[in-house]
């Protein structure tokens, strides 16, 4: 079922919004201690409006190795293990290329939900391959889990929060995917589930070369609904804005924003997803399913196939 893009917005109290933010921390938070002794020359900054930005990215450095497809051996796809450099670290990813792919194949950066590895996301990668899309599936830092309180401490100390590193990893992944000989660098999109959807939205807003973003079972935090006049800790408020996908929605166009969400999602309520969708600008689309679960389901496939065809045509 498709919801029209003229959905009404339901304001939520600030206390509820921040409460939801810290619930997510409780669900997904795993303490991560970055070294911050990074070798790649890069600066990052956050504007007064809470917008994250990076200096120009350096060229991609990566290794690539063809491997056996243990996850879908019956398919004739080509599977490659890629290790690429990002902010002084090595990020591992699986590149799945459909059989008979040419240099004009569209590509999708695939971001799993928290706790899910690149291997665990190959079921969806295979579905996308059947639709004709190559995928680069990342092992996100902390497997997509976040620790907002720890990142706020880093931010206050002028050290790079892990969530910023995770956004930058997606941008580097786009560079790596675009450089592959089977891929059309002009036809790239990003797709994320749950926490992966949050990073997908921010990365797409920061990289205009991406044609669109699809978020499955995800939402923003609603930080923009807090009255700035009521804020007593301006630095914390600016940090929360910088990690909230809702902050970046007006920077997405002309890239398309698509949400797919279950009315009965067991982790992120449909109401929260609807709020994020309501404040997004056109072009956008939202589709709803009914399963009592969280993440991609087979009933979402027709919507996913339709929207990817529109985004990457």
């Amino acid at each position: 079922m498709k919801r029209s893009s003229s959905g009404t917005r339901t304001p939520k109290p600030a206390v509820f919004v921040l409460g939801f933010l810290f619930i997510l921390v409780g669900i997904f938070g795993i303490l991560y201690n970055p070294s911050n002794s990074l070798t790649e020359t890069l600066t990052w900054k956050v504007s007064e409006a809470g917008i994250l930005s990076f200096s120009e990215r350096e060229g991609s450095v990566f290794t690539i190795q063809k491997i056996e497809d243990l996850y879908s051996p019956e398919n004739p796809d080509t599977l490659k293990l890629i290790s690429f450099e990002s902010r002084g670290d090595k990020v591992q990813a699986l590149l799945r290329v459909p059989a008979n792919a040419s240099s004009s194949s569209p590509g999708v950066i695939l971001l799993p939900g928290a706790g899910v590895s690149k291997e665990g996301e190959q079921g969806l990668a295979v579905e996308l391959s059947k639709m004709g899309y190559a995928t680069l599936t990342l092992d996100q830092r902390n497997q997509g889990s976040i620790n907002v309180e720890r990142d706020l401490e880093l931010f206050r100390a002028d050290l790079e929060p892990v969530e910023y590193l995770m956004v930058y990893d997606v941008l580097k992944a786009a560079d790596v995917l675009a450089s592959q000989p089977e891929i059309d660098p002009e036809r790239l999109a990003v797709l994320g589930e749950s926490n992966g959807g949050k990073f997908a939205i921010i990365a797409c807003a920061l990289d205009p070369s991406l044609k669109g973003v699809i978020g499955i079972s995800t939402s923003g935090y609603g930080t923009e609904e807090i009255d700035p006049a009521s804020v007593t800790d301006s630095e914390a408020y600016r940090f929360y804005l910088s990690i909230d996908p809702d902050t970046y929605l007006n920077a997405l166009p002309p890239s398309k924003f698509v949400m797919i969400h279950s009315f009965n999602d067991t982790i992120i309520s449909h109401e929260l997803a609807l709020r994020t969708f309501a404040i997004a600008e056109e072009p956008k689309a939202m589709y709803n399913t009914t399963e009592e679960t969280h993440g991609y389901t087979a009933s979402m496939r027709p919507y996913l196939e339709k929207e990817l065809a529109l985004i990457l045509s």
Side-chain angles (χ1 to χ4, degrees):
M1 178 175 117
K2 181 177 179 181
R3 180 181 177 83
S4 71
S5 59
S6 60
T8 58
R9 181 178 178 184
T10 305
K12 288 289 162 193
V15 172
F16 175 78
V17 173
L18 288 180
F20 172 69
L21 178 63
F22 287 105
I23 286 172
L24 279 183
V25 175
I27 294 173
F28 298 124
I30 298 176
L31 185 62
Y32 181 81
N33 293 307
S35 66
N36 286 295
S37 57
L38 305 171
T39 58
E40 185 176 4
T41 302
L42 180 83
T43 58
W44 58 273
K45 63 181 180 179
V46 176
S47 71
E48 289 303 313
I51 302 294
L52 173 66
S53 63
F54 299 101
S55 60
E56 185 175 353
R57 300 194 294 276
E58 297 180 357
S60 298
V61 177
F62 62 90
T63 60
I64 186 166
Q65 175 187 5
K66 185 175 179 179
I67 62 173
E68 182 181 359
D69 187 357
L70 300 176
Y71 318 102
S72 184
E74 71 281 2
N75 286 321
D77 297 340
T78 298
L79 193 64
K80 300 177 183 180
L81 176 64
I82 292 182
S83 177
F84 64 90
E85 293 185 11
S86 178
R87 301 297 278 119
D89 290 318
K90 297 285 188 180
V91 177
Q92 301 290 316
L94 285 175
L95 174 65
R96 179 174 292 274
V97 182
N100 304 317
S102 66
S103 59
S104 60
S105 295
V108 177
I109 303 155
L110 187 54
L111 305 179
V116 181
S117 66
K118 62 186 183 301
E119 292 83 6
E121 194 72 0
Q122 287 307 296
L124 179 52
V126 169
E127 288 300 305
L128 293 170
S129 177
K130 291 176 181 177
M131 299 177 198
Y133 303 105
T135 54
L136 185 63
T137 308
L138 271 60
D139 261 345
Q140 298 183 94
R141 298 172 194 248
N142 278 356
Q143 287 199 346
S145 300
I146 61 175
N147 189 318
V148 176
E149 291 180 323
R150 174 58 175 158
D151 273 350
L152 176 57
E153 291 175 6
L154 292 170
F155 181 78
R156 290 189 191 279
D158 291 326
L159 299 174
E160 190 167 15
V162 180
E163 291 177 71
Y164 295 179
L165 296 172
M166 293 165 80
V167 171
Y168 188 74
D169 292 344
V170 184
L171 300 176
K172 291 294 287 188
D175 296 339
V176 171
L177 185 57
S179 71
Q180 301 308 307
E182 306 95 337
I183 306 302
D184 181 352
E186 302 298 320
R187 292 196 293 161
L188 300 182
V190 57
L191 188 161
E193 293 193 70
S194 193
N195 262 11
K198 300 176 191 297
F199 297 114
I201 293 168
I202 297 173
C204 188
L206 298 184
D207 190 340
S209 72
L210 296 170
K211 301 304 182 184
V213 55
I214 298 178
I216 295 175
S217 300
T218 196
S219 76
Y221 297 128
T223 312
E224 88 293 339
E225 294 186 351
I226 300 172
D227 180 3
S230 68
V231 172
T232 58
D233 187 338
S234 60
E235 280 298 277
Y237 177 62
R238 189 161 66 99
F239 170 70
Y240 290 140
L241 284 170
S242 75
I243 62 171
D244 188 344
D246 290 350
T247 304
Y248 298 83
L249 293 174
N250 63 1
L252 281 175
S255 300
K256 190 170 186 179
F257 176 49
V258 178
M259 299 187 78
I260 308 177
H261 210 95
S262 173
F263 285 117
N264 301 301
D265 194 292
T266 54
I267 295 180
I268 299 177
S269 74
H270 182 265
E271 186 179 31
L272 291 171
L274 183 61
R275 181 201 59 209
T276 290
F277 180 72
I279 62 178
E281 299 182 3
E282 298 285 358
K284 63 179 180 177
M286 184 171 185
Y287 300 88
N288 304 298
T289 59
T290 58
E291 293 91 341
E292 191 171 338
T293 188
H294 181 68
Y296 177 77
T297 64
S299 64
M300 297 177 179
R301 191 183 194 280
Y303 310 135
L304 188 57
E305 187 167 19
K306 172 186 174 180
E307 289 299 333
L308 280 173
L310 293 171
I311 291 170
L312 296 174
S313 60

